[in-house]
Amino acid sequence: MLSWITLQVRRDPDPDTDTELDPAPVHRKRVGRRTVQVAENRWKIERYDLDKDELPPATPTPQAPNSQLHIWIRRSFDEGARYSDIVRDGQTLFKRSEASIKRAIREVRKGQKNARAGR
């Protein structure tokens, strides 16, 4: 019985050469992408062929302007609104989740704290 197993496992002495060869490697085109601001509220995507070109150096972007949500939160706190009211009204006005509104409140408070510290 051992000889039968050996025959099944043993390598074929005359293999078919067509099946043994690896297929030619497929060369995939390497493409780089970068978003570039065209106007205040417009962006475009630039594409670069990395096989031919190098990506141009990145341009530093200025700090993102305050969003309408952040401005609204700041004004609400200045007018004396309560935290829970801001969360509830923010969800309704801006169609965001409770977690997103709370995160925005933390960002506004952090910005106010940094402004008071002179950073």
Side-chain angles (χ1 to χ4, degrees):
M1 178 151 171
L2 187 59
S3 62
W4 178 79
I5 294 174
T6 308
L7 288 174
Q8 295 296 320
V9 177
R10 189 180 318 156
R11 190 175 169 103
D12 187 10
D14 188 26
D16 186 11
T17 56
D18 292 339
T19 60
E20 294 278 327
L21 296 176
D22 291 332
V26 177
H27 179 70
R28 294 185 180 204
K29 186 175 181 179
R30 295 179 343 145
V31 178
R33 296 176 193 92
R34 181 168 75 174
T35 56
V36 178
Q37 187 170 8
V38 178
E40 184 177 340
N41 293 324
R42 290 188 51 220
W43 295 81
K44 73 174 187 174
I45 297 176
E46 291 181 348
R47 289 177 169 65
Y48 300 95
D49 183 2
L50 294 178
D51 291 333
K52 298 176 185 173
D53 307 323
E54 289 291 323
L55 274 176
T59 55
T61 57
Q63 187 175 3
N66 290 325
S67 68
Q68 292 296 320
L69 174 62
H70 289 101
I71 294 168
W72 178 80
I73 290 171
R74 198 172 304 115
R75 286 182 184 163
S76 298
F77 276 125
D78 290 344
E79 293 172 2
R82 295 180 345 177
Y83 183 90
S84 59
D85 295 337
I86 293 174
V87 172
R88 184 192 66 233
D89 294 342
Q91 286 178 287
T92 305
L93 291 171
F94 294 95
K95 307 290 188 224
R96 303 266 180 96
S97 68
E98 180 180 351
S100 295
I101 301 296
K102 288 181 178 182
R103 187 178 319 112
I105 291 172
R106 283 193 304 270
E107 291 169 0
V108 167
R109 286 184 172 172
K110 182 179 177 184
Q112 289 175 339
K113 180 181 173 185
N114 289 343
R116 279 188 237 123
R119 294 181 192 164

